[in-house]
Amino acid sequence: PRRQTGAPPQPAPTAPSAPPGQPVRPVAGDATGWSMEERLYNQVWGMFEDLARTMAAYRSAVDFADSRMGKELDQALSDPRSRIGGQGDAAREAAQAKHAQLVDQARAALDRDLDQLTAECEVVEPALPPAFAGWDNPVWHGYRVPMEIPMALRLGDLHLPESPELRIPMLVRLPLERGLWIDSGGAESLDGSFTDSHELRRLALDTAVAHAARLLAVYPAGEFAVHVIDPAGSAAQALVPLVHTGVLAAPPAVGAAGVTDVLTRLTQRVDLVQMAVRGGAADSLPPGLDTAEQLLIVNDFPHGFDDRAVTQLRYLADEGPSVGVHLMMVADREDAAGYGPLLDPLWRSLMRLTPLPDDHLADPWVGHAWTYEPSRVPPGSHVLRQVLTEVATARTKHR
């Protein structure tokens, strides 16, 4: 989308030549693309694929070594003669030695590839634009509201258990094709510890606010609007950065009446835009209709929702993304268990993200279970408020 086709792509930076026998030193933007942004996007996805396939080769080699050792031990122990004179012990030691040699060879190859990918990460990460960068990247300190919509957005980092220190940015294309679900449900963490349910909900809300702030920051002024449904007002503290900087389209909606009002307005917007697009009359939309992309953050679902509101929410999740209305749920699925399988399509339609590290995402190449970690604002940092203040100022000038 929005790819320029009138001119050939700019040549990618060339990597400096390496000494004989040494790997080529990586450079940022060393991938195909029509712009530096697209080259960096393709480079990140290339690193993602390289790590997935490298780890698949390592795991396959270890599985083969395990299987071979098991067969050799079975053969040795199945022969009664091997139990005499220590032949069984010798066969066992030989099988274990072969196993260790194969695993060591596989690990050496893996370490070599990991070193190369780590070196690439070290040059790519500082070169990323704000939409792709972590909140601790210095690029945010020189932030200015962009003039064009970026091609992708960073939602967090991904890593595998064999190399937890090597993290790949998780980039998704814009505009979002699916809604987001920040899972606030209590669960055991990867390290076996448990997080208090109130703390988990707070972390989920902080994650949602950070994602919303990033979306506001990477769109041009006036091109993205955020609405919030908080029926019980329980998210007031977490929403302070959005509320105090004035970047919300309206104050957070509270109570059943607030839920109904916001859902009705967004549902009507989806209907109007769909009719205009299908009728080939996109220019005939009502003058007062906000044509910006819309994001609805829903907290504490299904509190404050009646059956009609639930139906409207499902409609927005299904039909909204195609006409610029996106959904972000901060919810525990167990809270809506009373609806039974009725809401299963809703949960499946959303991309599940977690406020704490969780290995629930799979890559599209070999299907590894990747550990996802959300992009967090560094403790004590004011970067989020500074960025949102810039967004609010630019929006005022735009009007």
Side-chain angles (χ1 to χ4, degrees):
R2 297 175 295 281
R3 176 179 294 176
Q4 299 176 1
T5 57
Q10 303 173 13
T14 56
S17 58
Q22 297 295 321
V24 176
R25 294 175 59 187
V27 295
D30 186 15
T32 58
W34 293 82
S35 65
M36 176 57 82
E37 179 191 46
E38 186 173 3
R39 291 200 296 269
L40 286 169
Y41 173 84
N42 290 334
Q43 187 171 14
V44 168
W45 269 89
M47 292 159 54
F48 188 16
E49 181 177 3
D50 287 347
L51 181 54
R53 297 193 184 281
T54 292
M55 200 60 69
Y58 169 73
R59 292 178 178 179
S60 177
V62 172
D63 288 344
F64 170 75
D66 292 342
S67 174
R68 177 174 173 173
M69 183 177 68
K71 290 180 180 178
E72 290 179 349
L73 290 177
D74 287 343
Q75 290 175 356
L77 296 177
S78 63
D79 186 355
R81 292 171 297 180
S82 66
R83 301 170 191 166
I84 304 173
Q87 294 181 12
D89 293 339
R92 185 182 299 107
E93 291 174 0
Q96 292 172 345
K98 291 179 183 178
H99 175 271
Q101 182 182 12
L102 290 174
V103 171
D104 288 345
Q105 289 175 351
R107 187 70 211 193
L110 174 65
D111 289 342
R112 183 177 61 251
D113 291 341
L114 291 180
D115 288 344
Q116 184 70 9
L117 285 170
T118 299
E120 192 169 6
C121 270
E122 289 173 352
V123 298
V124 168
E125 188 72 41
L128 295 177
F132 299 177
W135 285 111
D136 56 351
N137 193 310
V139 72
W140 287 107
H141 297 293
Y143 167 79
R144 293 294 180 268
V145 176
M147 300 298 292
E148 296 182 352
I149 301 173
M151 65 183 302
L153 183 83
R154 185 174 187 161
L155 292 178
D157 295 327
L158 298 168
H159 65 86
L160 292 169
E162 290 90 345
S163 58
E165 68 286 346
L166 179 54
R167 292 160 187 259
I168 305 296
M170 178 182 171
L171 304 180
V172 295
R173 293 298 292 263
L174 289 178
L176 295 173
E177 297 181 356
R178 300 173 63 191
L180 303 177
W181 166 31
I182 316 300
D183 190 354
S184 61
E188 184 178 355
S189 64
L190 291 178
D191 60 5
S193 62
F194 285 88
T195 303
D196 177 79
S197 61
H198 296 290
E199 176 68 9
L200 195 58
R201 289 178 184 270
R202 184 190 68 79
L203 291 172
L205 284 167
D206 289 344
T207 301
V209 169
H211 289 329
R214 183 183 289 267
L215 282 163
L216 284 163
V218 303
Y219 272 79
E223 294 292 322
F224 199 84
V226 176
H227 309 264
V228 176
I229 288 178
D230 184 25
S234 59
Q237 184 62 37
L239 294 172
V240 164
L242 299 175
V243 174
H244 284 194
T245 53
V247 294
L248 291 179
V254 295
V259 172
T260 300
D261 177 60
V262 173
L263 290 176
T264 299
R265 284 190 287 111
L266 290 177
T267 301
Q268 290 174 348
R269 183 190 185 282
V270 171
D271 289 339
L272 285 172
V273 177
Q274 278 189 338
M275 286 189 293
V277 171
R278 289 169 183 168
D283 297 334
S284 64
L285 291 169
L289 183 72
D290 184 5
T291 57
E293 298 272 319
Q294 310 285 315
L295 174 69
L296 173 60
I297 301 176
V298 178
N299 182 45
D300 269 352
F301 178 80
H303 183 79
F305 281 72
D306 56 20
D307 290 344
R308 183 171 183 271
V310 170
T311 301
Q312 289 176 316
L313 188 70
R314 291 183 57 188
Y315 177 74
L316 290 178
D318 293 338
E319 304 294 333
S322 63
V323 291
V325 177
H326 311 284
L327 182 63
M328 183 188 295
M329 301 272 288
V330 183
D332 179 0
R333 188 169 180 174
E334 290 300 317
D335 292 342
Y339 286 92
L342 177 67
L343 291 182
D344 286 352
L346 171 65
W347 302 116
R348 286 197 298 267
S349 71
L350 304 174
M351 179 186 293
R352 177 176 174 258
L353 303 175
T354 54
L356 294 174
D358 190 76
D359 57 350
H360 67 283
L361 292 176
D363 65 78
W365 301 286
V366 292
H368 292 315
W370 291 76
T371 297
Y372 164 81
E373 288 193 41
S375 293
R376 293 201 179 281
V377 179
S381 173
H382 299 289
V383 64
L384 194 69
R385 187 177 293 272
Q386 292 170 358
V387 168
L388 291 176
T389 300
E390 284 283 342
V391 171
T393 302
R395 180 177 295 181
T396 302
K397 294 178 180 178
H398 176 74
R399 291 173 183 169

